Amino acid sequence: MIEINQLTRKFGPLTAVDSVTFKVEQGEIVGLLGLNGAGKTTIMRMMSGALGPCGGAVKICGNDISTAPNEAKNDLGYLPEQPPLYKNMRVVDFLHFTADIKGVDNPRAAVKTAIERTGLDSVQRKVIETLSKGYRQRVGIAQALVHDPKVLILDEPASGLDPAGRAEIRDLIKHIADSNRTVILSTHLLWEVEEICDRVLILHNGKLVAKQNMAALSVTRVAIEAESNGLSKAKCSEIERLLQPINNGVRPVCTPQGVIDVTIEANRSDLVSALAPHGLVEIRKVNLLQERFTEVTGANFDGKSEGKVSS
Amino acid sequence: MRATIAIAKRELFGYFTTPLGWIALSAVLLITGFFFGWAVDLYGEVSLQSASSPWGDPLDVDLYLVAPFFGNWAVILLFVAPAITMRLFAEDRSTGAFELLLTSPISPMQIVVGKYLGAMSFMIVMMACTLHFPIMLLMRTTADPGVIISSYLAIFTLSASFVAVGTLASAHTKHQVLALLGSFAILLIFWIMGIGETAHGEGWGSFVAQASMLSHANTMARGIVRSTDIVYFVTLISFLLFATHQRISSERWR
């Protein structure tokens, strides 16, 4: 569906995107995660055709965005970080305009569908300038959806919204992706990736440093009581052996501190019965995205801003 | 074609939903109305003096009323065209709406032509709003309809080339004021070139004057429509739009 091959972009001496390669399959929701300046927006702008690459290629549904731009753009909808709106137009007129420039066969029906999908019914006759930021973001998503594209590229879709607005946009994206559409979104909010995405691509200094399935990052973390000098190697091995059948046959790693991560599907009662004799302290579900992100980028987390990362 | 028309319609609509369009329209009507009234007064006064003189001939309406009216129109255009065109690309760039056009399945030429046609449509509306002045002349005086039509053609071709200059200037920046100053500066240079012949006589002066839009429009305003003038305007506008297209096409590589 989306094929990015050795994509490179330089701005003078600065290499903003350095030989990035990845694929996104149909129906997947993929998150591009990285610090500010990691190259997320540059990649998205190259994918959408707004920016030309210095090297490499972008294919959308088999069409190269550089050599067959119109064919590729027919299959993609793009929401930049700043929604591309004509604020002096009414919502419905603006969507009609976007349907016309995108060559939609039946603009009236397409606009109606886009309005319904994005929940804009109540404000469709209002001038965009008078809408709240959340609604403007919805109008931005509606313009990206109006020609019913197979691929949706969303650059920081929840940026600048309050928590309620973010939740609305998150639900909207999930709803849109339900129709077997491929969605790729960029963000620097970890919770957004955790809640929405199937897969995450971590960027750092213009390079793709990690690709990870979200399912593999969601684990059940078990803590068992350890003495002050930690668990012995033999005890660790015994616990690992015990948990292997519960962990889909994969042998987990037990740290000397008594922390073990097992697959998210692990049955809670199985874990309790297996570990109770060994001093079970805690069982909780955790997401390893934060740890993985810190590991590959060296960035710390700013807990005050809801998982927002800071370098 | 549909996308081009949609862009042109949006641009035209944009003038009427912002104060800019209404202010420009009102200013043009006020100024042309003022100069028209002044020219009529002057004509009345001079023709009265002429009638009371034993050697006085009846005054030429085309020379004393039609020519000044359209001459003033051209000066007004020098100020209005940059104001009308400054927002075409500059505003889209500053608001981010330009990304919508760049990522839609349309060519840069469709964008350029759509924007240009939108601004030209507004200029045509503006011209249509001043039609009552020549109609009054036709009804009440012996003005030559041919001269009025060719003068309107001169204003139309001047507008078309001024708007093309403004479109090119707007394509180069995201600051509307810079676009306005840029197009005004270019038009002023063309204007000064137009008076080269008067200032420097034949030779280089004449050559430079021929490169100016003004000298070609002047010929038309006198009621003479030459194919060379039409070819000049078509070539100039095509070149300016092509240059704008090149600028927009190179946007992806900046």
Side-chain angles (χ1 to χ4, degrees):
Chain A
M1 193 58 59
I2 303 175
E3 280 179 67
I4 307 291
N5 191 19
Q6 293 293 312
L7 198 64
T8 303
R9 186 59 153 101
K10 292 180 180 181
F11 295 102
L14 175 81
T15 304
V17 175
D18 192 359
S19 305
V20 169
T21 300
F22 63 87
K23 274 185 187 182
V24 182
E25 299 301 332
Q26 187 176 354
E28 260 191 309
I29 309 181
V30 173
L32 278 186
L33 186 65
L35 303 170
N36 289 331
K40 307 182 296 287
T41 297
T42 308
I43 289 178
M44 296 209 138
R45 293 192 73 219
M46 285 193 281
M47 287 168 71
S48 68
L51 194 67
C54 294
V58 175
K59 279 187 180 177
I60 308 287
C61 301
N63 296 305
D64 193 306
I65 196 87
S66 296
T67 56
N70 288 356
E71 289 80 355
K73 287 173 187 175
N74 272 329
D75 287 324
L76 76 86
Y78 174 52
L79 172 71
E81 194 173 353
Q82 182 185 4
L85 308 172
Y86 286 107
K87 292 179 187 158
N88 56 350
M89 293 179 93
R90 290 185 306 170
V91 171
V92 67
D93 295 333
F94 172 71
L95 293 177
H96 265 288
F97 166 71
T98 52
D100 280 337
I101 62 170
K102 290 178 179 187
V104 174
D105 288 334
N106 186 351
R108 192 179 288 265
V111 168
K112 193 169 175 268
T113 310
I115 284 174
E116 280 169 7
R117 270 186 192 159
T118 50
L120 288 167
D121 310 64
S122 59
V123 297
Q124 58 174 303
R125 297 262 156 213
K126 287 194 174 172
V127 176
I128 295 172
E129 208 166 26
T130 65
L131 299 179
S132 67
K133 199 163 184 200
Y135 269 114
R136 285 186 200 180
Q137 202 73 5
R138 280 169 181 263
V139 179
I141 294 175
Q143 67 75 25
L145 275 175
V146 76
H147 58 305
D148 197 22
K150 292 174 188 153
V151 174
L152 206 55
I153 299 170
L154 309 172
D155 192 359
E156 309 259 2
S159 162
L161 298 180
D162 58 27
R166 286 177 191 169
E168 280 179 19
I169 295 295
R170 178 199 60 207
D171 293 343
L172 181 60
I173 294 169
K174 280 182 176 173
H175 172 66
I176 291 163
D178 278 349
S179 45
N180 211 21
R181 208 184 304 272
T182 304
V183 179
I184 180 156
L185 63 94
S186 81
T187 184
H188 53 251
L189 301 173
L190 295 175
W191 66 264
E192 210 168 72
V193 178
E194 286 170 10
E195 291 188 14
I196 303 174
C197 299
D198 303 322
R199 199 150 62 90
V200 63
L201 307 172
I202 301 174
L203 291 162
H204 190 56
N205 291 335
K207 290 185 175 160
L208 182 61
V209 288
K211 302 175 188 178
Q212 203 82 55
N213 274 322
M214 290 310 293
L217 288 171
S218 297
V219 296
T220 300
R221 180 159 286 177
V222 184
I224 58 167
E225 206 171 18
E227 288 110 40
S228 57
N229 56 350
L231 294 177
S232 66
K233 241 181 176 174
K235 185 152 191 192
C236 279
S237 299
E238 189 191 341
I239 291 169
E240 285 169 6
R241 251 199 327 276
L242 262 172
L243 292 179
Q244 190 169 352
I246 305 168
N247 192 35
N248 285 346
V250 179
R251 189 168 169 155
V253 177
C254 174
T255 68
Q257 291 78 33
V259 177
I260 312 127
D261 290 334
V262 295
T263 176
I264 194 78
E265 289 95 11
N267 190 303
R268 195 181 172 86
S269 56
D270 289 347
L271 284 171
V272 172
S273 54
L275 295 173
H278 299 279
L280 179 65
V281 175
E282 187 187 21
I283 298 177
R284 65 188 170 104
K285 284 180 181 171
V286 295
N287 196 298
L288 301 178
L289 182 59
Q290 291 191 1
E291 289 168 26
R292 183 82 180 113
F293 188 89
T294 308
E295 186 188 317
V296 293
T297 65
N300 295 316
F301 284 94
D302 174 5
K304 288 175 193 162
S305 51
E306 296 181 288
K308 191 173 177 176
V309 288
S310 60
S311 50
Chain B
M1 193 62 189
R2 192 172 136 211
T4 308
I5 292 168
I7 294 169
K9 269 168 67 181
R10 205 219 72 76
E11 289 303 326
L12 181 61
F13 165 85
Y15 288 115
F16 293 107
T17 53
T18 56
L20 174 73
W22 293 108
I23 290 170
L25 201 56
S26 314
V28 164
L29 285 175
L30 271 173
I31 297 168
T32 50
F34 171 76
F35 280 114
F36 183 75
W38 180 68
V40 169
D41 267 0
L42 194 69
Y43 177 80
E45 219 171 277
V46 177
S47 61
L48 207 64
Q49 284 173 5
S50 176
S52 60
S53 162
W55 302 282
D57 290 328
L59 291 181
D60 184 353
V61 178
D62 296 332
L63 191 66
Y64 281 89
L65 280 179
V66 178
F69 173 70
F70 285 103
N72 291 328
W73 233 121
V75 178
I76 294 164
L77 270 184
L78 185 67
F79 295 95
V80 168
I84 292 301
T85 53
M86 66 181 180
R87 53 181 284 278
L88 286 178
F89 288 99
E91 190 183 37
D92 283 9
R93 274 216 184 85
S94 62
T95 60
F98 197 46
E99 296 264 298
L100 172 65
L101 300 177
L102 284 180
T103 57
S104 293
I106 49 174
S107 68
M109 191 47 101
Q110 283 174 292
I111 301 172
V112 173
V113 174
K115 295 255 175 200
Y116 177 74
L117 289 180
M120 264 317 285
S121 307
F122 185 72
M123 293 303 250
I124 291 168
V125 170
M126 215 179 246
M127 272 185 261
C129 287
T130 63
L131 272 175
H132 58 286
F133 297 125
I135 289 172
M136 271 194 271
L137 287 181
L138 285 171
M139 286 168 67
R140 308 287 294 179
T141 68
T142 56
D144 181 353
V147 172
I148 289 181
I149 291 169
S150 66
S151 295
Y152 259 109
L153 184 64
I155 292 299
F156 176 79
T157 49
L158 263 190
S159 303
S161 34
F162 283 17
V163 167
V165 168
T167 308
L168 177 62
S170 186
H172 277 82
T173 178
K174 66 174 180 178
H175 304 289
Q176 294 192 42
V177 177
L178 282 183
L180 177 107
L181 294 176
S183 56
F184 182 70
I186 298 168
L187 292 177
L188 202 60
I189 291 168
F190 270 107
W191 199 274
I192 294 165
M193 281 162 63
I195 54 173
E197 195 168 7
T198 325
H200 300 287
E202 294 299 311
W204 275 106
S206 171
F207 176 77
V208 170
Q210 281 304 306
S212 164
M213 304 161 202
L214 204 60
S215 55
H216 292 274
N218 276 341
T219 317
M220 274 191 218
R222 286 201 297 268
I224 307 159
V225 181
R226 297 182 306 187
S227 55
T228 48
D229 297 327
I230 301 291
V231 168
Y232 167 82
F233 279 114
V234 170
T235 310
L236 180 71
I237 293 164
S238 306
F239 170 75
L240 290 167
L241 292 185
F242 177 71
T244 312
H245 165 263
Q246 292 301 98
R247 177 64 186 80
I248 299 303
S249 301
S250 68
E251 192 79 21
R252 295 181 69 227
W253 308 104
R254 281 167 197 278

